[in-house]
Amino acid sequence: MNKLSTRFLAGFLLATSILAPLPTARCAEDSPAVNEVKLLTIGNSFANDSISFLPQMAEAGGKKLLIFGANLGGHSLEQHAGYLKAFEADPSDPKGRAYKEKKDPRTGEKRDFSLREALESAPWDFVTIQQVSTKSFKPETFEPFAGTLVDYIHKYAPAAKILVLQTWSYRQDHPLLAQEKLTQQTMFEGLRSAYGELARRYGLQILPVGEAMQAARALPQWTFTYPDPNFDFANPKPGTLPVETGSLNRGWYWKKNVATGKDEFLLDAKHCNLTGKYLAAAVLYDFLFSNVVGNPFVPSEIKPEDAAALRKIAHEAVAANAVASKPAVPAP
């Protein structure tokens, strides 16, 4: 095992040693390669980020993949649970069919789905759940809504394995960190603990995307420093952007305000940029299919050597999570 592997595994095990054991997780090295996966995600834009490059990776790896994204921007476990309750109370209530213009896996036609209809639309292998990022580090916000979703998935997609999609902490310059008196690291520790509790409560496995993001941020090429000393943030010149080397998040951008017609200088320090999306998809590929290290898909915007490093980080995150998740051996 090389130095990166040793540091990652040792750090992960040390950080998770205070947590109770989770159910045994899939480890690509211990499981036969899977060639076909049907995946349904129940989440928000973070789930969209995580699956963004997954189809291309699957194709490049010679895998078959069906994805249904029951994802709604900014949505929490509570909101998803509310939609299923609305549908069960009155199937004709439009509120219950919150997943708009989704392609039906059976017909290929686009229509509005309820969560029940989505779960029944294909023999899903995996269904993911996640909390909205603003509450991801607050375990008290998970219930009873996570339990409602878990029970519903078991009822209407009984053959599917439920996975916890572990989200990631915000970039250091996101205003929420100061508002919540957090650092990037403490937000990460909070969400890791909250998702770990969720997984243990229901015997679920974790997709360690947040772990991979944090591991990448510890390396020089993805260590983000801010602010750019040569950029005028108070009076930015329209169309110009600060240097944001090392960021895994979208960062600063310009967008026209529809109401005023003026270009606005905005910050997105939570969603993934292209590099972050690639890393997240690599985690999902490694868990769902097999070792992602040799996957040949590389977006043209990413250097091949960087893509290889990201795939390695993703593989090590999945492997380390599997080791840390093995149940303790009962004392004789």
Side-chain angles (χ1 to χ4, degrees):
M1 184 176 290
N2 61 30
K3 292 182 179 178
L4 173 59
S5 303
T6 303
R7 285 201 309 270
F8 185 97
L9 184 56
F12 183 93
L13 292 176
L14 177 62
T16 55
S17 61
I18 61 173
L19 301 177
L22 299 176
T24 302
R26 178 193 178 278
C27 178
E29 293 158 326
D30 299 332
S31 304
V34 175
N35 292 315
E36 182 174 356
V37 164
K38 297 179 180 64
L39 171 69
L40 186 151
T41 59
I42 304 172
N44 48 49
S45 56
F46 276 45
N48 286 335
D49 280 1
S50 297
I51 62 177
S52 180
F53 283 125
L54 190 57
Q56 294 95 318
M57 281 190 172
E59 183 179 4
K63 311 294 185 181
K64 292 183 64 176
L65 174 67
L66 174 65
I67 298 180
F68 188 109
N71 307 322
L72 298 168
H75 274 58
S76 64
L77 293 166
E78 180 177 7
Q79 289 171 293
H80 286 289
Y83 295 140
L84 73 85
K85 289 180 179 179
F87 178 80
E88 292 301 327
D90 180 6
S92 66
D93 183 354
K95 183 180 179 182
R97 287 188 170 85
Y99 311 100
K100 307 295 185 183
E101 288 294 298
K102 296 295 181 180
K103 184 182 291 186
D104 191 318
R106 295 161 296 195
T107 67
E109 297 179 358
K110 287 189 175 181
R111 63 183 181 87
D112 297 347
F113 276 79
S114 67
L115 184 55
R116 177 174 172 177
E117 291 166 336
L119 290 168
E120 293 180 327
S121 67
W124 303 108
D125 299 303
F126 300 97
V127 177
T128 71
I129 60 173
Q130 54 146 123
Q131 180 58 299
V132 67
S133 61
T134 54
K135 299 179 179 180
S136 60
F137 52 93
K138 299 179 178 181
E140 68 275 12
T141 68
F142 283 51
E143 298 295 353
F145 320 110
T148 298
L149 287 167
V150 167
D151 290 344
Y152 205 69
I153 296 165
H154 282 317
K155 184 174 183 179
Y156 294 110
K161 292 183 179 179
I162 303 174
L163 303 176
V164 174
L165 177 56
Q166 181 196 66
T167 56
W168 50 91
S169 61
Y170 293 170
R171 203 171 74 174
Q172 298 97 309
D173 53 345
H174 195 291
L176 180 133
L177 296 181
Q179 293 167 13
E180 296 283 349
K181 295 180 173 58
L182 295 169
T183 65
Q184 184 187 81
Q185 180 64 27
T186 56
M187 180 180 177
F188 166 67
E189 291 169 356
L191 69 85
R192 178 180 57 190
S193 176
Y195 282 122
E197 290 178 18
L198 173 63
R200 287 189 296 279
R201 187 178 304 124
Y202 298 107
L204 309 180
Q205 297 179 17
I206 295 176
L207 293 166
V209 178
E211 298 283 354
M213 292 283 185
Q214 209 67 4
R217 286 165 168 164
L219 299 179
Q221 61 266 51
W222 293 294
T223 298
F224 174 67
T225 58
Y226 72 100
D228 177 359
N230 299 314
F231 189 85
D232 186 355
F233 287 88
N235 299 287
K237 184 178 179 180
T240 63
L241 293 170
V243 174
E244 298 183 290
T245 304
S247 178
L248 293 172
N249 301 98
R250 183 180 181 186
W252 290 98
Y253 65 102
W254 289 90
K255 183 178 181 181
K256 186 177 293 295
N257 185 308
V258 178
T260 65
K262 296 181 179 180
D263 289 333
E264 294 181 332
F265 186 53
L266 303 172
L267 174 64
D268 181 353
K270 61 181 180 179
H271 294 103
C272 288
N273 61 15
L274 185 145
T275 304
K277 290 177 180 179
Y278 184 80
L279 176 57
V283 172
L284 269 62
Y285 182 95
D286 197 275
F287 186 102
L288 299 173
F289 290 110
S290 59
N291 191 334
V292 74
V293 171
N295 189 282
F297 171 69
V298 179
S300 59
E301 299 87 346
I302 300 179
K303 297 177 182 178
E305 59 270 27
D306 285 345
L310 292 166
R311 295 195 304 273
K312 184 174 178 56
I313 291 168
H315 176 68
E316 292 180 351
V318 173
N321 186 67
V323 171
S325 301
K326 288 183 177 179
V329 178

